[in-house]
Amino acid sequence: MSRVQAAVRAGQVARAARRILSRRGVARTSLRDIAAEARIPLGTLQYVFPSRQQLLRRVTEDAVADLAGVITDTASTGNGLEYALRTGVPQIWAQLVTDPDLQLMQYELTAYSLREPGQHELARTQYQAYTQAAADWCRAAAHEAGEVCAVGFDQLGRILLASLDGLMLQYLSDPDAQRAAADLQSLIDMLVQLADPRPDHA
């Protein structure tokens, strides 16, 4: 198996793993299940990913990249931070709730990383990537409009992500779309008040 073929196969296996992990959960999914989903022999899977930990790491990294892309690509940043928050956050939320099972899988992967010996760094890296994407998005919106923010963009990104996490866990527990929409609007109002964007006169 050449290096290019191995890279292609790794992507195929990771996508198959993501599908079945979303359906069945981390605890109930074996490498054999993933091989069947990918329609390859178990030995081929183990050649590409010698351990379950390595495969779950790849799945987590792919999920991080996807969510970071949702955050950074969702809404325009050219009309200021308040506009970005008020239009972008609902769009981000709409993307997240299209696949609740995928969101649950990501929380399971975080818990797995925190509990599994030697994997704690993966959870830290996962959330660093999420919050960095949110912070960069907010920073771009403010800077492109010549604005300053009352709090650091890193802090704003962490609060934005933590709030979306909380709302998503509530939604997964009790999927009430009307309640979630109202809570999301309150969250946006609080974020705008916290950020207090204003023209940079420096």
Side-chain angles (χ1 to χ4, degrees), residues 57 60-61 64-65 110 113-114 119-133 161:
R57 175 176 288 273
T60 301
E61 290 169 350
V64 166
T110 301
S113 300
L114 291 173
Q119 298 296 312
H120 187 277
E121 179 66 17
L122 182 58
R124 189 170 73 89
T125 301
Q126 178 185 11
Y127 269 83
Q128 281 181 338
Y130 291 156
T131 56
Q132 188 64 55
L161 180 64

Side-chain angles (χ1 to χ4, degrees), residues 1-2 4-14 16 31-52 54-55:
M1 184 178 294
S2 72
V4 173
Q5 290 172 328
V8 171
R9 179 68 75 186
Q12 294 171 342
V13 171
L31 288 180
R32 190 175 300 278
D33 295 329
I34 296 168
E37 179 74 16
R39 298 182 180 179
I40 60 174
L42 179 60
T44 301
L45 185 151
Q46 291 174 319
Y47 178 85
V48 179
F49 293 105
S51 71
R52 188 170 188 264
Q54 287 175 312
L55 176 54

